[in-house]
Amino acid sequence: MAPTSSLNSAGAALLVFEPEAEYRRHSLAGYWGPVTSSIDWCERNYVVTPFIAEFFNTLSNLGMIVLGLSAMYLHAREGMEARYVVAAFTLFLIGVGSAAFHGTLTHIGQQGDETPMVIGSAVWLWCLAFSDPAFEAKHPKLGSRCAWLLGAFVALFGYMHFLYSFVAVFQVLIALMVSTMVFTLTRMWRNSIDRRRSGWLFAIYLGSILIALPLWIIDQHFCVHLHSLPGGLPNPQFHAWWHLLMGANCYMGPIIHAPIRLVALGKKPSVRYWLGVLPYVQYIDGRKL
């Protein structure tokens, strides 16, 4: 049965699952008090521990946090441009904010999740828009001006979202930003000279989001069915898998984009593997050969 909308104690729209018995099981009280966020996800609250509202949805953010920190370290170590370090920091920030949201289901925790998602998307859109060094040289001040405009937009969004918690507006905005990012990077990769060697990296990038999106939808719209699977099977916690897959997607984006940017800068990039597992980009300056 589909979820219906009600109001929580703070007067905000709260996702409620029918029948009523299911909702009562879903709404156990815990350390952080009643739900004040405008969304309550499918995972039942405070089941594993009274200190974490949604245990699996919170724990799964460790993937984003670890990948974000690893990318910051590797990009800085390899002398990559600051834009890639900043993009990695936003991935780390999203992981921390999402953990705060799912761990507390509070209004302030929700802001810590959703506003960093807009920040990260804005940073990555800027990186994609200013990929071509020739374009940057032709318009030397445009990049900084766009960065300031995006910063002002994010600040305004964060303030308004804190006041009104507009869930639908946020979801539409993120959908538009992510669609633009995926489409733009896909086009760049298809036109790159090294796409054959990076094909499997791109497959992870695109495949992760194509798998994550239906899992997010199923978790939100078929929650009652996920809690009553045949044979007593447990809820597969699709929203937690969404976190893991989107962490991989966000990490792989710069790994695909950086070689394209570096070739345009006259450098020779290659993909290496930290600890034999995690891909990162290394390069040499072609003009020194």
Side-chain angles (χ1 to χ4, degrees):
M1 189 176 295
T4 59
S5 239
S6 183
L7 294 177
N8 63 16
S9 59
L14 174 66
L15 203 58
V16 178
F17 303 99
E18 300 289 354
E20 184 63 25
E22 172 62 33
Y23 177 57
R24 286 197 299 270
R25 286 194 296 269
H26 187 270
S27 301
L28 298 177
Y31 177 80
W32 301 100
V35 174
T36 56
S37 59
S38 58
I39 297 180
D40 189 352
W41 299 94
C42 185
E43 183 179 353
R44 288 174 179 160
N45 302 340
Y46 298 107
V47 171
V48 177
T49 169
F51 300 105
I52 300 177
E54 296 176 346
F55 182 82
F56 295 104
N57 285 349
T58 302
L59 189 66
S60 58
N61 285 291
L62 284 175
M64 288 193 201
I65 294 171
V66 170
L67 286 174
L69 289 173
S70 299
M72 288 171 62
Y73 165 72
L74 292 168
H75 293 330
R77 189 190 72 176
E78 297 303 319
M80 301 290 287
E81 292 176 285
R83 62 183 68 191
Y84 295 109
V85 180
V86 172
F89 173 73
T90 64
L91 176 57
F92 163 76
L93 192 64
I94 291 168
V96 172
S98 182
F101 176 22
H102 292 286
T104 66
L105 290 178
T106 59
H107 174 69
I108 190 67
Q110 184 175 5
Q111 309 312 305
D113 173 39
E114 294 176 349
T115 297
M117 289 175 65
V118 176
I119 294 172
S121 298
V123 168
W124 191 226
L125 282 171
W126 185 91
C127 291
L128 293 173
F130 293 92
S131 293
D132 185 1
F135 178 81
E136 288 182 296
K138 188 176 180 181
H139 306 280
K141 296 182 179 180
L142 185 61
S144 60
R145 289 172 179 171
C146 287
W148 280 106
L149 284 174
L150 285 172
F153 167 75
V154 168
L156 178 62
F157 170 86
Y159 175 72
M160 298 299 291
H161 191 38
F162 180 81
L163 292 179
Y164 301 109
S165 297
F166 29 68
V167 175
V169 173
F170 163 74
Q171 291 181 347
V172 170
L173 175 63
I174 285 295
L176 290 173
M177 296 176 86
V178 171
S179 298
T180 302
M181 290 185 288
V182 171
F183 174 80
T184 303
L185 185 56
T186 298
R187 185 179 61 181
M188 288 181 178
W189 175 79
R190 289 179 61 123
N191 293 330
S192 68
I193 61 175
D194 198 35
R195 67 178 186 177
R196 289 186 177 179
R197 285 194 294 178
S198 61
W200 78 273
L201 298 174
F202 182 78
I204 295 175
Y205 168 77
L206 189 59
S208 58
I209 194 170
L210 290 178
I211 296 172
L213 183 58
L215 294 184
W216 184 90
I217 294 172
I218 293 170
D219 181 85
Q220 188 170 17
H221 294 284
F222 298 93
C223 180
V224 173
H225 303 292
L226 294 176
H227 282 299
S228 57
L229 295 174
L233 292 173
N235 183 341
Q237 307 296 349
F238 284 154
H239 195 81
W241 287 103
W242 154 269
H243 289 156
L244 294 170
L245 289 165
M246 289 307 298
N249 173 267
C250 293
Y251 181 87
M252 295 303 298
I255 305 302
I256 295 166
H257 178 265
I260 300 172
R261 165 84 175 166
L262 289 168
V263 168
L265 288 168
K267 300 176 181 180
K268 296 184 177 296
S270 61
V271 176
R272 306 293 185 186
Y273 297 90
W274 189 41
L275 304 177
V277 176
L278 200 61
Y280 68 94
V281 177
Q282 195 175 66
Y283 71 91
I284 57 174
D285 192 332
R287 290 168 293 184
K288 294 180 181 180
L289 294 179

